[in-house]
Amino acid sequence: MLLKGLKVIEYATYIAAPGAGGLLADWGADVIKIEPPGGDPIRRFFDTIGADIAENPVFDLDNRGKRSIIIDTGGDEGRDLVRRLVADADIFITNVRPGGLTRAGLDYAALSAVNPALIYANVTGYGLEGPDVDRAGFDVAAFWSRSGWARLTAPKGVDPFPIRTGVGDHICSLATVAGILAALHSRSLTGKGQHVDASLLRAGTYTLGSDMSIQMRFGRLASTRPRLEAVNPLANFFQCRDGRWLTLLPRQGTADWPGFCAALGLERLQNDPRFATSKARREHGAELVGLMDAVFASRDFADIAESLDAHDLVWAPVQSPAETVADPQFLAAGGITQIADGAGGFKASPSGPIRFPGLDETTKPAVPAPGQDARAVLADAGFSPEEIEALIGKSVVAERL
């Protein structure tokens, strides 16, 4: 695989930082996951929400193919052990709060002194400077709410609602991987390591970047509106006679208006002064949406889809996750990865967002049990059998929970 030979130390829990480590593992890096005593809390995802489910696909997605070691970093011996593991590592990823890292001697300054070639990635809620540097920052808080997403996404008059599990986290994971790979390229030229600062807040505002650019330039922004009040009534959702929904996405400008009229049998509206220009369609949006709703309500999804395709218009079905995982195009795009279950079988999991044509990506190694690789990781780092037994005996390291 592309990253074979890279050693990654992941000193992180939950989703955003482990998601970055997970992508690196998918691409062939040796990712050593340092878990706290008791294991990564996200291993107990379903227990937290009161569901009695033994399997945990949420954890599996971000941790397949890693090696796990449990280290108690509450004392000097555990912290020294982390520094020793970092000594020959290429990458260190952490989402521990910056103040705690500094107090433990595991911050960038300390670890880069141990390994000047180290790529050190901090994944935080709010960045490495400012009054909230040590504030906890889950994605609903930092990425979704504080960035502006929650207020802007809720249609006018609708109460704010939460983002789905891990959405902002995984966007931050992608950003973190991008920063790490840029730093690796720089190191290949200079031989020097690099500090990578990824935050949920900044990932959120960048992802919202088109709207944020307008806000920053003009000091105001249009709200998200219900269907009948859409700024562009053509960029909307419509329900067909058989109950299926689809979304239309007109290209910029007015080039698609004649095509929509033809596809929907509304040619009479093409030169109607109420709808002939973008401005007119906006001013008479509710009326236009009502006319289009009537057409969609009179035709089945397959019929409408064929007409839209015949005019090369941009649209997509509005699918449930259950429909998506059975979608032939999703399957053809390699959307499902199989994870070895350790017993000769496999379990389905979402693929990462990047595909490398020609490289096998259909199966991934198993998800580690907490602490299962302790002895192998320590032996690889040069610890003798006696030293390993001593660390386990003193509970600095745990083999298994």
Side-chain angles (χ1 to χ4, degrees), residues 22-86:
L23 287 172
L24 298 177
D26 272 359
W27 300 342
D30 177 19
V31 180
I32 298 169
K33 182 180 182 67
I34 298 176
E35 301 192 55
D40 187 336
I42 200 68
R43 287 184 181 272
R44 299 185 291 279
F45 175 80
F46 285 107
D47 180 55
T48 302
I49 62 175
D52 186 17
I53 301 175
E55 296 187 63
N56 189 346
V58 174
F59 180 82
D60 295 353
L61 167 63
D62 297 316
N63 294 282
R64 59 199 184 201
K66 297 178 183 178
R67 296 198 287 168
S68 171
I69 181 172
I70 294 174
I71 301 177
D72 183 357
T73 57
D76 291 340
E77 200 164 2
R79 297 166 185 171
D80 288 341
L81 177 51
V82 174
R83 285 187 279 271
R84 186 161 169 181
L85 292 177
V86 165

Side-chain angles (χ1 to χ4, degrees), residues 176-195:
T176 304
V177 170
I180 287 170
L181 296 180
L184 283 170
H185 175 68
S186 176
R187 190 181 73 175
S188 73
L189 301 176
T190 67
K192 296 180 180 178
Q194 179 66 48
H195 199 181

Side-chain angles (χ1 to χ4, degrees), residues 15 45 137-151 153-154 159-172 200 203-204 207-208:
I15 294 177
F45 175 80
F138 289 93
D139 68 342
V140 176
F143 176 95
W144 183 247
S145 298
R146 196 160 183 178
S147 72
W149 264 109
R151 285 288 297 274
T153 302
D159 293 340
F161 51 83
I163 195 172
R164 300 291 299 195
T165 299
V167 173
D169 287 319
H170 284 127
I171 292 172
C172 192
L200 288 162
T207 308
L208 196 60

Side-chain angles (χ1 to χ4, degrees), residues 283-314:
E283 291 174 348
H284 299 276
E287 189 175 357
L288 178 55
V289 172
L291 291 168
M292 294 176 70
D293 276 347
V295 173
F296 279 91
S298 70
R299 298 169 64 181
D300 288 341
F301 175 88
D303 177 37
I304 289 280
E306 183 177 357
S307 294
L308 294 172
D309 283 342
H311 290 84
D312 192 30
L313 297 167
V314 182

Side-chain angles (χ1 to χ4, degrees), residues 369-385:
Q372 75 170 38
D373 303 293
R375 291 180 181 274
V377 167
L378 294 174
D380 289 348
F383 287 82
S384 69

